[in-house]
Amino acid sequence: MACSGVQGRLSSVFTDGSTALSSENSSEDKLSDQLTDSGTSDAASETSVQDQDSLISDCESVVDSGSSSAQSRMFNDRLVALFDGNRVHDLIKQRFVSSLGLLGPHANVVAIHRNSYSSLVGQARLRSFQIYLKAVEEKCGGNPNVKYAWYAPSSKDEISKIICHGFGHHEKPQKDGLYGSGVYLAPDDSPLTCVEGSNVDEDGLRHLLLCRVILGRPEVVHPGSEQYHPTSEEFDSGVDNPIAPKKYIVWSTYMNTHILPEYVISFRAPTCLKGFLKTQESIKKPTSPWMPLPALIGVLSKFLPPPTIALISKHYKDHREDKISRHELIQRVRQIAGDKLLASIIKSFRAKQIKGLQRVAQNGERNGKEFKNNTGGVDEQPIPLLG
């Protein structure tokens, strides 16, 4: 398929965030090669101010005067507008939309801006990130583990503050969050959680920051943690899942040295986003084994401690009250309980269900109704085995 090649190239583009995104004279193929590189060379980690100037020049190479003036008014002069036809703009746009799943066809990317690092403080912050990248690279034996990740600001005004002053108390780090006190970011291929957490501005737009993040050696942070720094000098950051993380946690002590905000993507999405996602999810019926959540919680209580069960029950209640989407509920249950335990429980449940249905066929309608009542019926919220 033609799209598979594009998707593969996009994956390589965002796999490694320590490589420079563009240069003034590079072709698209050369750009892809640069972004596929493992990105721990001096050229990648010690980009000079002159390199940044050429990068900015390339970003401005496709400009329409009408749309330019409209987009330039969106933010201050520290953010440079990119336009359709620009390589970086198109790669980011395609990656973002393709990672939104059901929401993708309904999301309209209006603008993409790049941090110009034009002020002295901006240049110093860029240089600081490069210095820490090199330090973590040496500490981790040559792999600083730099990724691209999404951050959902609370408002458009917060974006300007982050670009000017860095991350700080104005964006209220998640002290009461699931995974301790720090800045939460989502991997570049999982922007949906950030989209759901974004707010609509006065123009009906939502905004996300695309950042380079130095993860170094991450440690697993469990739900309900009150952690606010690495547990030892061995670790540099946190993740919710070591194999397929959906959340990166950068502790507050590192938020202005290990996170480099590079791009702002502005887009329109359905006004009632959670309602839209819930409607789409109801259309898409689970195809993998599932079981009603109340029944699942009852079985999980035999394996997990009461505080963990209370947390799962709280998420289920939030879903019933339309505070979180079904997708978010499932992801949280998977993060807390783990797929291995869930798979075992759900498969066991389905095996019992199949045996029950066989008895129903033999014993008639009365037993069929009794079986349906005992298993919670089809009206309860199911949880798929694989989400």
Side-chain angles (χ1 to χ4, degrees):
M1 290 177 62
C3 2
S4 64
V6 173
Q7 186 64 39
R9 189 180 64 200
L10 288 173
S11 298
S12 68
V13 164
F14 287 89
T15 298
D16 176 28
S18 61
T19 308
L21 279 173
S22 176
S23 64
E24 190 169 9
N25 300 316
S26 61
S27 65
E28 185 171 357
D29 290 338
K30 185 176 179 181
L31 176 70
S32 298
D33 292 340
Q34 285 179 330
L35 294 168
T36 307
D37 190 6
S38 57
T40 55
S41 66
D42 290 343
S45 59
E46 296 185 357
T47 306
S48 66
V49 174
Q50 286 79 8
D51 292 333
Q52 291 300 320
D53 290 340
S54 66
L55 220 162
I56 294 165
S57 177
D58 180 59
C59 292
E60 295 175 318
S61 60
V62 181
V63 177
D64 175 84
S65 58
S67 59
S68 174
S69 60
Q71 291 195 25
S72 62
R73 289 194 299 269
M74 195 176 293
F75 296 103
N76 59 38
D77 57 3
R78 290 184 172 89
L79 289 168
V80 178
L82 311 184
F83 300 94
D84 286 329
N86 175 274
R87 293 183 295 275
V88 178
H89 173 283
D90 294 347
L91 288 171
I92 292 174
K93 179 179 177 179
Q94 290 177 57
R95 178 63 163 176
F96 175 71
V97 173
S98 66
S99 299
L100 289 177
L102 295 172
L103 181 61
H106 305 275
N108 176 30
V109 176
V110 175
I112 297 177
H113 288 78
R114 189 187 192 287
N115 190 351
S116 66
Y117 311 107
S118 57
S119 69
L120 290 175
V121 173
Q123 293 174 18
R125 190 170 290 120
L126 173 64
R127 184 61 178 168
S128 174
F129 180 86
Q130 293 162 352
I131 291 171
Y132 272 91
L133 189 153
K134 288 295 291 183
V136 175
E137 178 183 347
E138 293 178 10
K139 172 179 176 286
C140 295
N143 181 16
N145 195 15
V146 180
K147 303 290 185 183
Y148 274 101
W150 298 102
Y151 173 77
S154 60
S155 66
K156 185 168 74 173
D157 183 54
E158 185 193 334
I159 293 174
S160 298
K161 291 179 179 178
I162 291 173
I163 297 299
C164 291
H165 309 294
F167 290 88
H169 296 298
H170 55 267
E171 63 269 3
K172 298 178 181 178
Q174 294 90 330
K175 294 181 179 179
D176 56 348
L178 279 174
Y179 298 90
S181 176
V183 177
Y184 296 173
L185 303 101
D188 67 271
D189 62 351
S190 303
L192 190 57
T193 301
C194 287
V195 170
E196 289 184 86
S198 63
N199 294 310
V200 180
D201 69 8
E202 65 275 9
D203 298 316
L205 295 176
R206 299 171 185 267
H207 309 275
L208 295 182
L209 277 167
L210 181 59
C211 308
R212 269 193 287 178
V213 184
I214 304 171
L215 292 178
R217 184 172 289 111
E219 61 183 308
V220 177
V221 182
H222 297 286
S225 170
E226 297 182 357
Q227 190 173 338
Y228 57 91
H229 58 69
T231 55
S232 73
E233 292 184 1
E234 178 184 359
F235 300 111
D236 305 283
S237 61
V239 293
D240 59 339
N241 186 306
I243 299 173
K246 294 296 182 184
K247 199 180 297 292
Y248 300 145
I249 303 102
V250 177
W251 309 117
S252 299
T253 49
Y254 293 153
M255 62 186 177
N256 284 312
T257 58
H258 287 47
I259 306 175
L260 184 69
E262 288 206 323
Y263 297 94
V264 179
I265 187 167
S266 305
F267 60 98
R268 286 192 172 89
T271 305
C272 185
L273 188 56
K274 291 184 178 180
F276 171 84
L277 291 172
K278 190 170 184 179
T279 301
Q280 296 298 306
E281 288 162 353
S282 65
I283 296 172
K284 184 181 178 183
K285 297 179 180 179
T287 57
S288 56
W290 61 271
M291 70 184 293
L293 256 172
L296 176 64
I297 293 172
V299 179
L300 285 173
S301 65
K302 300 176 182 178
F303 299 92
L304 301 176
T308 303
I309 295 300
L311 185 59
I312 294 175
S313 299
K314 177 183 180 299
H315 295 326
Y316 179 54
K317 180 182 177 184
D318 288 345
H319 171 69
R320 295 295 293 268
E321 296 174 355
D322 292 328
K323 293 180 180 178
I324 62 174
S325 68
R326 175 179 174 273
H327 172 80
E328 192 171 359
L329 170 65
I330 291 171
Q331 291 304 313
R332 291 187 180 186
V333 173
R334 291 177 65 183
Q335 290 166 1
I336 293 170
D339 285 349
K340 187 175 181 180
L341 176 59
L342 289 175
S344 175
I345 292 173
I346 294 174
K347 286 179 179 177
S348 174
F349 174 84
R350 291 294 290 166
K352 292 178 181 177
Q353 231 182 10
I354 291 171
K355 290 181 180 178
L357 287 171
Q358 291 172 344
R359 289 198 299 271
V360 167
Q362 295 172 357
N363 299 333
E365 185 178 355
R366 182 179 61 83
N367 285 348
K369 291 181 180 179
E370 180 182 348
F371 174 77
K372 181 177 178 181
N373 292 334
N374 289 339
T375 58
V378 295
D379 294 329
E380 293 289 354
Q381 178 68 48
I383 177 167
L385 177 60
L386 299 176

